[in-house]
Amino acid sequence: MKNLQRIWGKVKEHALRQEQGIDGILVTVGLCIIALLLCVVMKDSLTTFIQTIVTAMQTKAADILTGV
């Protein structure tokens, strides 16, 4: 029984150990490349979208400041 607990402890320790790897870096770089491509391809749509959000925020801020 004690031997089983020792083996289980080693398995648990190995499963929970974090190792340095390149996976996270590759995912981050990949997501950045995808975001950059989306910005280039959808530049006009993105500009319109951002302008719409900014206008809506300005309108809401003006309403809050005037007490409406």
Side-chain angles (χ1 to χ4, degrees):
M1 191 65 162
K2 214 167 223 196
N3 196 19
L4 184 60
Q5 287 177 342
R6 184 175 57 82
I7 292 172
W8 176 248
K10 287 194 179 279
V11 168
K12 186 177 173 184
E13 177 185 330
H14 182 69
L16 295 177
R17 182 175 52 207
Q18 290 184 341
E19 296 183 15
Q20 297 288 14
I22 196 164
D23 294 344
I25 295 170
L26 290 176
V27 169
T28 304
V29 170
L31 289 174
C32 288
I33 290 171
I34 291 170
L36 185 61
L37 284 174
L38 282 174
C39 287
V40 169
V41 170
M42 302 183 70
K43 185 174 83 171
D44 296 331
S45 299
L46 199 56
T47 303
T48 305
F49 178 69
I50 291 172
Q51 286 175 345
T52 304
I53 290 176
V54 169
T55 303
M57 288 173 61
Q58 287 174 338
T59 305
K60 186 68 175 177
D63 290 347
I64 291 172
L65 290 174
T66 58
V68 175

